[in-house]
Amino acid sequence: MSVHLRDLEAVRRRQGRFAALVVAAVLTAIGTWLTLPFGVVLLTRGAVFGLALVVAGVVLLAACVVAIVGAARARVAPESLPGKPNPAFGEPRPSANPDSGYSTAGMKLGS
């Protein structure tokens, strides 16, 4: 296997890891949002189950932070993708058409 294909596979793995970490971050954030406030309300009312929900919410919050940091580190920057860079990309070039402007059915628009 060539070096470029190995690099491309490594980039694909990093992109997959990034997507999985983003999904994990979203799911743990939703779980935190559902458990932590409800656990605090139950804890203020004196329910022992509220303490378990608060602990679970804090654990989910920590997992969300870890997933966000991991996703930020696994993100693939566009300039780091394998391949030869094109220095002329994004620079304006004159049109190769000798007739300037748009033409439709023999009519020329523009100059």
Side-chain angles (χ1 to χ4, degrees), residues 22-40 52-64:
V22 167
V23 169
V26 168
L27 291 178
T28 55
I30 291 171
T32 301
W33 183 70
L34 291 174
T35 58
L36 195 57
F38 189 60
V40 169
L53 285 177
V54 167
V55 169
V58 169
V59 168
L60 285 172
L61 182 64
C64 180

Side-chain angles (χ1 to χ4, degrees), residues 1-85:
M1 191 177 335
S2 72
V3 175
H4 293 296
L5 285 177
R6 274 187 274 148
D7 289 344
L8 186 62
E9 283 184 10
V11 167
R12 298 279 185 221
R13 282 193 303 269
R14 282 186 70 187
Q15 288 173 340
R17 190 177 316 125
F18 171 75
L21 285 170
V22 167
V23 169
V26 168
L27 291 178
T28 55
I30 291 171
T32 301
W33 183 70
L34 291 174
T35 58
L36 195 57
F38 189 60
V40 169
V41 169
L42 287 178
L43 193 62
T44 57
R45 292 185 179 175
V48 180
F49 185 64
L51 181 62
L53 285 177
V54 167
V55 169
V58 169
V59 168
L60 285 172
L61 182 64
C64 180
V65 170
V66 167
I68 289 171
V69 170
R73 288 185 177 186
R75 187 179 68 87
V76 178
E79 62 269 3
S80 69
L81 294 175
K84 184 178 178 183

Side-chain angles (χ1 to χ4, degrees), residues 85-91:
N86 184 359
F89 182 77
E91 294 180 9

